[in-house]
Amino acid sequence: MATTPRLTSPERVVFPQAGVTKGDVAEYYRAVSRWLLPELIRRPLSLVRCPDGVEGTCFFQKHHADSLGEHVRKIHLREVSGADDYLFVEDLDGVLELVQMNALEFHVWGARTDDVEKPDRLVFDLDPDEGIEWNALKAAARDVRDRLGDLRLRSWVRMSGGKGVHVVVPIRPGPDWTQVKAFCEAFADSMVARAPERYIATASKAKREGLIFIDWLRNTRGATSVASWSLRAKPGATVAMPLTWEELGRVRQAGAFDLRKALRRSRNLKRDPWHAMYRVRQTLPERI
């Protein structure tokens, strides 16, 4: 019989600037689980683990280990060279076991564990160069939304918890990763062709000055994007926050939600800001 996850050292401070302890992190994920779990469960995960808090050494982990806990599941997936066991969770107990193992951030695949070769979600990460104003980034997100709308694709918006914004597109599973990658690259290139003075679709830091990088590379097999409601391993204990498009207009800065503000939002929400997304059944266009 599975046991209830146990938290050790709950008093240990993991976000010194914000005064947030390991116990606070566990209570945060417990409090927002109603909104977090639909985004997180039954998707291969990558974690950011910080055994000594955010001011110590943090590292990514995507492979399963028995030491993570009995509620943390594994799925055997092929890799470029061979195969390995990846991790996922099915419930809050799995999340809390990962918190016990010093996980702060949760990043998810764009496909579910029941068919990892058929993505059901696209993510365009708008990553601004230094000096890009917040209002310009919000306008870029709406521009991406409108261009997707021209293709009859509805999209939803998420603050990344850092300086960026994610535009998220649910799709009906069917196309494989190669097809999804090709579509997303072509879409980002089309945005650049329409406004080369605003956007870039290549990851080159040297060429990004004054531009917004439309990061489409998250839509490749094995790539991940931060889950909605996940904390970020940053000094202010910021949170990746899903919004409605109307709410985005009222947000005054990137990284506007920290753990405490996210808790207040969670308590005050009447329904998930992405509630309509879970009912959408839209197909990937054959061409841009």
Side-chain angles (χ1 to χ4, degrees), residues 1-2 8 29 39 91 99 106 133 155 175 178 181 202 223 246 253 255 259 267 271 274-276:
M1 179 180 293
T8 60
Y29 281 124
E39 287 292 294
D91 51 30
V99 171
F106 297 91
E133 294 184 356
S155 59
T178 300
K181 176 184 175 182
T202 57
E246 293 74 20
Q253 63 184 26
L259 179 149
R267 288 193 296 265
R271 62 180 182 181
W274 285 8
H275 69 98

Side-chain angles (χ1 to χ4, degrees), residues 218-233:
R218 298 182 184 278
N219 303 290
T220 58
R221 189 184 187 279
T224 58
S225 57
V226 67
S228 296
W229 296 93
S230 173
L231 286 163
R232 303 305 307 267

Side-chain angles (χ1 to χ4, degrees), residues 22-69:
K22 182 178 178 180
D24 293 331
V25 171
E27 285 308 307
Y28 167 76
Y29 281 124
R30 190 187 304 276
V32 304
S33 60
R34 174 184 177 186
W35 316 114
L36 169 75
L37 292 179
E39 287 292 294
L40 197 66
I41 61 173
R42 301 186 187 95
R43 291 181 184 273
L45 298 179
S46 291
L47 314 171
V48 176
R49 294 175 61 190
C50 301
D52 298 311
V54 296
E55 293 185 353
T57 299
C58 298
F59 59 92
F60 270 95
Q61 180 171 343
K62 63 183 180 180
H63 291 134
H64 183 270
D66 291 339
S67 60
L68 292 174

Side-chain angles (χ1 to χ4, degrees), residues 5 44 48 96 143 150 152 166 189 211 230 240 261:
V48 176
L96 294 177
D143 194 15
D150 292 340
R152 298 185 177 181
H166 295 171
D189 287 344
L211 300 173
S230 173
K261 290 179 180 177

Side-chain angles (χ1 to χ4, degrees), residues 241-269:
M241 183 58 67
L243 303 172
T244 65
W245 284 105
E246 293 74 20
E247 287 177 317
L248 179 66
R250 299 192 291 271
V251 175
R252 296 183 178 180
Q253 63 184 26
F257 291 88
D258 61 12
L259 179 149
R260 292 178 176 88
K261 290 179 180 177
L263 282 173
R264 287 199 297 271
R265 175 170 169 79
S266 174
R267 288 193 296 265
N268 294 330
L269 274 180

